[in-house]
Amino acid sequence: MSTYPPLNSLRIFEAAARLESFSAAAGELFVTHGAVSKQIKQLEDWLGVPLFERSGGRVRLTDAGWRYLVQVQDGLDLIANATAQLLQPNRQRRLSINSTPTFAAYWLLPRLERFRERFPDLELHLATSDRDLSRLDSPFDIAIRRGPGDWPGHIAKPFLKEWELPLCSPALLDKLPLHRPDDLTTHTLLHADTRPTAWPRWLTLAGVPELKPASSMHFDKFSLALQAAIDGLGVVLGPMPMAQALIDAGQLVSPLPAPVVTVRDYCWVAPRMSAEDATVATFCRWLENEADKAGTSPR
């Protein structure tokens, strides 16, 4: 027996499974309800496995049907992508990237020109967000998030390790020395809502979990907390290696080299249907190589 079921049956199965209705699938595909039912029955007979449970005119996927649906959708997406590339071989390829704001501003953008030099015909679209991937308003080819995370339907891989150290402006350090963790009692600590446990975690590892700073400032975005540190408003627990460029430029200093708090790795995340796309795979490898060159790969 051939290992390839009829393609038309797979299209009808995918629609019926996705819509959870033979009637809705018939309407979407402009065929009759009877045609959908017949094709599904033929596919089940061919596979020797029931894909739907039928009860009172309603249908529901079996466990085998759910597993089969994921693979069938992946296969149909690959066929669609391959066909589009074949029909439009000379069109400019667009790559949509969704990244956390801090990563985009302080790690990705300073390196992105190197990628564009290698692939000048690639049109890049970069959006930033801290939102969960399931709540994004626009589709993406690649997302960059700290992980591991719960990303069903996606392929993900860690490529960049991150750690945290106290950072402040050189001007602030001239006014208020900071030689040991206890000295933070004379400083303002800068907090970000997106990293609420950062300072408590670091202070605990530094042996001063009950430390009371002179004052605190809170920001809804970490990028604002980082800018406040540059402007001399206080001490931020900054992410490395993202902040390394600011240290190299003399905008920030790291007065306390320990303890080093390792946090979650950065991961690239791609929808399962596009993870095998050549352009997506190339960009993901480039991210990994950039981290390798800087010695900040989690491997």
Side-chain angles (χ1 to χ4, degrees), residues 2-299:
S2 169
T3 56
Y4 298 100
L7 180 59
N8 191 49
S9 295
L10 294 180
R11 288 179 59 249
I12 290 177
F13 163 71
E14 190 279 333
R18 172 169 41 83
L19 298 171
E20 297 185 320
S21 168
F22 286 6
S23 297
E28 179 177 289
L29 299 173
F30 301 103
V31 297
T32 66
H33 181 283
V36 171
S37 182
K38 180 180 179 180
Q39 289 287 339
I40 295 297
K41 182 63 167 62
Q42 288 179 347
L43 181 60
E44 289 178 322
D45 290 344
W46 189 91
L47 293 169
V49 175
L51 300 173
F52 291 92
E53 295 177 356
R54 298 157 175 85
S55 176
R58 303 184 63 181
V59 297
R60 187 164 62 92
L61 281 170
T62 63
D63 290 342
W66 278 113
R67 293 194 300 270
Y68 196 49
L69 173 63
V70 173
Q71 302 298 325
V72 167
Q73 287 178 327
D74 287 349
L76 292 176
D77 287 333
L78 288 173
I79 292 172
N81 289 337
T83 303
Q85 293 175 25
L86 184 64
L87 294 176
Q88 296 179 302
N90 297 319
R91 71 183 178 97
Q92 185 176 41
R93 180 70 169 90
R94 168 176 170 158
L95 188 67
S96 296
I97 306 162
N98 189 289
S99 170
T100 56
T102 301
F103 180 88
Y106 296 104
W107 196 91
L108 183 58
L109 284 179
R111 294 168 168 78
L112 205 53
E113 184 58 27
R114 293 203 285 268
F115 182 82
R116 292 184 68 249
E117 288 175 354
R118 293 177 56 191
F119 304 95
D121 296 329
L122 185 62
E123 179 183 332
L124 296 175
H125 285 242
L126 176 62
T128 61
S129 175
D130 285 312
R131 299 176 70 182
D132 186 85
L133 298 186
S134 63
R135 298 175 57 233
L136 292 179
D137 297 327
S138 301
F140 59 87
D141 297 308
I142 300 167
I144 298 169
R145 291 293 189 272
R146 296 165 75 200
D150 183 18
W151 300 308
H154 295 75
I155 303 295
K157 182 179 179 181
F159 69 92
L160 182 74
K161 63 183 178 183
E162 182 182 80
W163 61 97
E164 294 174 332
L165 288 172
L167 305 174
C168 63
S169 71
L172 178 64
L173 206 59
D174 288 341
K175 292 188 298 182
L176 294 172
L178 183 52
H179 300 299
R180 59 185 186 273
D182 285 342
D183 292 336
L184 288 170
T185 56
T186 64
H187 284 268
T188 297
L189 299 190
L190 306 176
H191 300 261
D193 293 346
T194 54
R195 298 180 179 222
T197 62
W199 270 117
R201 182 173 55 232
W202 190 90
L203 292 172
T204 297
L205 289 176
V208 287
E210 305 300 324
L211 182 138
K212 302 296 183 184
S215 62
S216 297
M217 294 182 68
H218 293 260
F219 302 88
D220 65 338
K221 297 184 184 301
F222 181 76
S223 57
L224 294 178
L226 196 58
Q227 185 60 50
I230 294 172
D231 293 338
L233 296 180
V235 184
V236 70
L237 198 59
M240 304 296 288
M242 262 64 69
Q244 187 61 52
L246 298 173
I247 295 174
D248 294 341
Q251 293 180 280
L252 291 174
V253 293
S254 176
L256 299 175
V260 174
V261 179
T262 302
V263 293
R264 294 189 299 165
D265 296 334
Y266 275 92
C267 304
W268 59 254
V269 189
R272 191 182 300 274
M273 65 181 183
S274 61
E276 298 301 322
D277 178 88
T279 304
V280 172
T282 296
F283 189 82
C284 292
R285 285 195 299 270
W286 176 79
L287 290 173
E288 296 170 12
N289 290 336
E290 287 292 314
D292 280 339
K293 287 192 298 184
T296 52
S297 167
R299 295 185 293 278

